[in-house]
Amino acid sequence: MSNKTKLELTWIGKDNPPKLEPRILIADPELSYRAEAKVTDNDIFDNRLIFGDNLLALKALEDEFAGKIKCIYIDPPYNTGNAFPHYDDGIEHSIWLSLMKPRLEIIHNLLTEDGSIWISIDDDESHYLKVLCDEVFGRKNFVSNVIWEKKYSPQNDAKWLSDSHDHILVYAKDKNIWRPNLLPRTEEMDKRYKNPDNDPRGSWKPSDLSVKTANPKDIYPITTPSGRIVVPPESRSWVVSEEKFQELLEDNRIWFGKTGGNVPSVKRFLTEVQGGVVSKTIWLRSEVGDNQEAKKEVKALNPKDVFTTPKPERLLQKIITLATNKNDIILDSFAGSGTTGAVAHKMGRKWIMIELGEHCHTHIIPRIQQVVDGTDQGGISKSVNWQGGGGFKYYRLAPSLLEKDKFGNWIISENYNPAMLAEAMCKHKGFTYAPDEQIYWKQGYSTENDYIYTTTQFITREVADNIQEQMKEDETLLICCKAYTANPNDYPNITFVKIPTTILKNCEYGRDDYSLKVDGFMNTENKEQLSLFVEEDSNE
């Protein structure tokens, strides 16, 4: 074939990604919270709880946190077949995928090179999501599909099979770099090590001396202390050469059983095993909790209004243990009841959570306040000896920068003060917002010598001359203003642009809802595509 095409998942609306406005975040000290006294050495206050549409919030984080998030866990709404009742199944999958794709693309940008993403999902969309993630993160960066046992009792009213698990898809930003941490050894693991011969090197356990892939040179007879002669089982060989066996025997590392007549085994000492264990891909409820445990945890925190779909703290503890170290940043853009932030906080990690629902205020804030105060002693608190400390900053998404006047013209929103406008223009133009305390026109920078200045005032020749006199020879400046009378040709180091004209075509303004529902997705172009799809389907 002359025209090569890549293998990909296609759906209605895939080629019409949203043109997202890069919003700024507005801190609210009244809803931020900090421990009254430093309780622990791990007193982290720079955690962020963001209230607002999670796609816009992810976009708002992109400039500051691109390449800085070590672990992202998301538990997006599952497409259970009831989310979009007015459309058939094919369209429903298309809508869900169209809403997930831009979120995953920004998430990919936020991850560190040695970072990873963990996505909880059920059977309804797990396979579609796997193919989508292959496209966004690269199939070569797929790590595993973890199976989490979420239920214990079968559902006797199930029509087909009673589902008892969810999936957790795991991707690395770069699988060649990323490596999971080992899990701590449990007391039960260590109990398997005994010391029946009082070896001064301590506890050990016997390990098979034979190996499945037979090597002819390692097939030789061994005489036990009791005089019995043994050889490897059929189709197997010893795991070591005869010479190496003699070395192990002289070092008292071969065990023939208490009577000295058993098939030999190798002694593996507890002091020589690695400091942890490699995680398996099936996570049982006995190890990480289940839905019932999660409900009990959130009920203890808010008995009057129990969150419907929480995750157990032990589940998040395992993910965070595998994927991060202390002081790494963890992001959850579907915060739900706030489990991710609560567990990350107790484990000494920095966290960012995003939530649009009102439970951000009714569930998450009270929960994290209890964590900070140390009064939340449920979940993993006792196992990590959590006593409280730290805090978080609360942010809201700023409104859209532009709004229409009564004549239908785009103008700068009245909600923006000069500082907010300057920060917003920095985002739109790719500058870092960092106002200089001494020089008013240095509001942000893109390089050490390139600056931006935003004002709603007219820039006259006198103003431009004054700025140019203050500029160093190697400095450049972008001036964003409503209008200017200065001649741009007279200022080779200054670029003049008018607002809002300079940003009108950059993105979609006035839209605050990109949530996972049909109404948020249905812009004019997608509606036309869906109508066309339905018409073609009815004509077949």
Side-chain angles (χ1 to χ4, degrees):
M1 295 177 63
S2 57
N3 295 326
K4 292 183 179 180
T5 58
K6 65 178 181 178
L7 179 66
E8 65 174 319
L9 180 65
T10 61
W11 62 86
I12 300 165
K14 180 180 181 180
D15 297 327
N16 299 308
K19 296 175 68 176
L20 298 173
E21 177 186 359
R23 303 282 184 92
I24 63 172
L25 298 171
I26 302 173
D28 186 342
E30 292 297 318
L31 291 174
S32 301
Y33 195 75
R34 187 169 189 170
E36 291 185 7
K38 185 172 180 179
V39 181
T40 70
D41 291 334
N42 191 34
D43 193 42
I44 301 172
F45 179 55
D46 194 23
N47 301 304
R48 301 191 182 196
L49 175 60
I50 302 170
F51 178 66
D53 179 271
N54 72 355
L55 184 55
L56 288 171
L58 286 170
K59 185 66 178 178
L61 291 170
E62 196 170 21
D63 285 346
E64 182 179 355
F65 288 95
K68 295 181 180 178
I69 308 295
K70 186 65 176 292
C71 171
I72 296 175
Y73 170 78
I74 59 173
D75 183 14
Y78 299 169
N79 189 7
T80 59
N82 301 317
F84 315 113
H86 302 298
Y87 299 96
D88 67 25
D89 189 61
I91 297 175
E92 182 176 311
H93 288 297
S94 295
I95 294 172
W96 193 85
L97 289 166
S98 289
L99 293 165
M100 287 300 298
K101 185 172 184 285
R103 289 165 169 82
L104 293 174
E105 288 172 337
I106 297 177
I107 281 171
H108 181 266
N109 293 337
L110 293 173
L111 282 173
T112 61
E113 289 303 307
D114 60 346
S116 60
I117 178 171
W118 306 64
I119 310 174
S120 283
I121 196 72
D122 69 357
D123 285 331
D124 286 303
E125 291 293 347
S126 63
H127 302 87
Y128 287 97
L129 181 60
K130 167 66 169 66
V131 179
L132 174 58
C133 287
D134 283 348
E135 183 175 327
V136 174
F137 296 97
R139 188 173 181 179
K140 63 182 181 181
N141 292 314
F142 172 68
V143 175
S144 187
N145 175 20
V146 172
I147 300 302
W148 168 48
E149 184 187 21
K150 65 179 180 179
K151 295 177 185 176
Y152 174 66
S153 300
Q155 292 177 265
N156 294 323
D157 60 347
K159 286 185 179 181
W160 297 284
L161 300 178
S162 176
D163 72 307
S164 59
H165 75 277
D166 272 351
H167 305 264
I168 303 176
L169 297 183
V170 186
Y171 281 81
K173 177 72 171 284
D174 186 341
K175 194 175 176 181
N176 291 324
I177 299 175
W178 184 79
R179 293 291 183 274
N181 294 323
L182 297 173
L183 295 172
R185 295 186 59 82
T186 65
E187 187 176 336
E188 187 170 336
M189 290 176 185
D190 291 346
K191 281 182 179 178
R192 298 170 189 165
Y193 290 78
K194 310 290 184 180
N195 194 1
D197 61 347
N198 295 316
D199 193 305
R201 288 166 291 192
S203 298
W204 53 271
K205 72 174 184 178
S207 179
D208 193 354
L209 188 63
S210 69
V211 64
K212 185 175 182 181
T213 305
N215 187 340
K217 69 181 182 64
D218 293 331
I219 299 176
Y220 50 86
I222 294 176
T223 303
T224 70
S226 66
R228 177 186 172 199
I229 298 175
V230 295
V231 293
E234 188 176 351
S235 75
R236 298 174 72 94
S237 67
W238 300 122
V239 73
V240 294
S241 65
E242 191 168 6
E243 182 181 359
K244 180 64 177 177
F245 174 80
Q246 289 300 322
E247 292 178 9
L248 294 172
L249 186 64
E250 291 173 7
D251 193 31
N252 191 25
R253 286 180 177 267
I254 300 298
W255 176 247
F256 293 96
K258 289 184 178 180
T259 62
N262 293 354
V263 174
S265 58
V266 182
K267 293 162 69 173
R268 305 291 185 190
F269 290 93
L270 179 60
T271 55
E272 296 174 348
V273 300
Q274 58 186 2
V277 292
V278 176
S279 174
K280 295 190 289 186
T281 56
I282 297 179
W283 294 3
L284 302 177
R285 54 184 292 275
S286 58
E287 301 169 356
V288 296
D290 57 9
N291 286 342
Q292 187 177 17
E293 180 175 309
K295 283 285 184 72
K296 288 180 180 178
E297 290 172 353
V298 295
K299 187 175 182 179
L301 297 168
N302 191 341
K304 294 182 179 179
D305 185 10
V306 180
F307 192 79
T308 54
T309 56
K311 292 294 183 288
E313 289 200 6
R314 286 195 291 160
L315 177 66
L316 269 298
Q317 182 185 29
K318 187 164 187 174
I319 292 172
I320 292 171
T321 298
L322 290 169
T324 68
N325 298 305
K326 283 190 181 297
N327 294 320
D328 283 337
I329 305 176
I330 297 166
L331 168 68
D332 184 347
S333 56
F334 294 90
S337 64
T339 301
T340 302
V343 175
H345 203 105
K346 295 174 184 179
M347 294 178 68
R349 275 64 164 175
K350 299 176 183 177
W351 54 264
I352 302 171
M353 290 194 291
I354 304 169
E355 183 53 59
L356 174 60
E358 188 54 34
H359 48 273
C360 178
H361 306 108
T362 58
H363 291 72
I364 296 178
I365 290 179
R367 179 178 191 171
I368 303 300
Q369 286 176 341
Q370 291 183 53
V371 172
V372 171
D373 291 341
T375 56
D376 171 14
Q377 287 300 304
I380 68 166
S381 293
K382 289 183 171 60
S383 66
V384 299
N385 192 30
W386 178 249
Q387 300 297 315
F392 65 90
K393 295 176 183 176
Y394 175 96
Y395 293 85
R396 295 179 186 271
L397 272 176
S400 183
L401 176 58
L402 303 184
E403 61 186 13
K404 286 187 175 180
D405 63 15
K406 62 181 180 180
F407 303 107
N409 299 312
W410 287 107
I411 60 172
I412 296 171
S413 170
E414 294 181 353
N415 294 306
Y416 276 72
N417 60 36
M420 291 170 62
L421 176 60
E423 184 178 357
M425 288 304 298
C426 281
K427 278 187 175 288
H428 278 273
K429 293 299 183 179
F431 286 73
T432 299
Y433 179 63
D436 191 294
E437 294 182 0
Q438 305 298 325
I439 304 174
Y440 72 92
W441 49 266
K442 288 185 176 181
Q443 296 173 338
Y445 62 89
S446 64
T447 66
E448 61 180 9
N449 295 316
D450 186 36
Y451 301 94
I452 185 173
Y453 172 49
T454 299
T455 177
T456 56
Q457 303 299 315
F458 292 99
I459 298 295
T460 63
R461 184 176 184 85
E462 289 74 20
V463 173
D465 285 344
N466 179 265
I467 291 175
Q468 185 169 251
E469 288 175 5
Q470 298 179 50
M471 292 177 65
K472 296 177 182 178
E473 188 175 338
D474 60 345
E475 290 182 339
T476 55
L477 178 65
L478 172 64
I479 295 181
C480 307
C481 57
K482 280 193 171 181
Y484 54 88
T485 57
N487 185 350
N489 295 326
D490 295 335
Y491 307 92
N493 289 353
I494 300 177
T495 301
F496 298 84
V497 295
K498 294 181 180 180
I499 51 175
T501 308
T502 186
I503 58 171
L504 274 180
K505 296 181 180 180
N506 287 6
C507 52
E508 184 178 18
Y509 296 97
R511 183 174 175 185
D512 297 316
D513 186 3
Y514 292 88
S515 57
L516 288 170
K517 59 185 181 182
V518 172
D519 292 342
F521 169 80
M522 297 301 287
N523 57 36
T524 303
E525 195 166 3
N526 285 329
K527 283 181 180 177
E528 290 174 354
Q529 284 199 12
L530 290 175
S531 297
L532 180 62
F533 178 88
V534 173
E535 287 174 9
E536 289 177 349
D537 187 58
S538 63
N539 290 331
E540 291 182 356

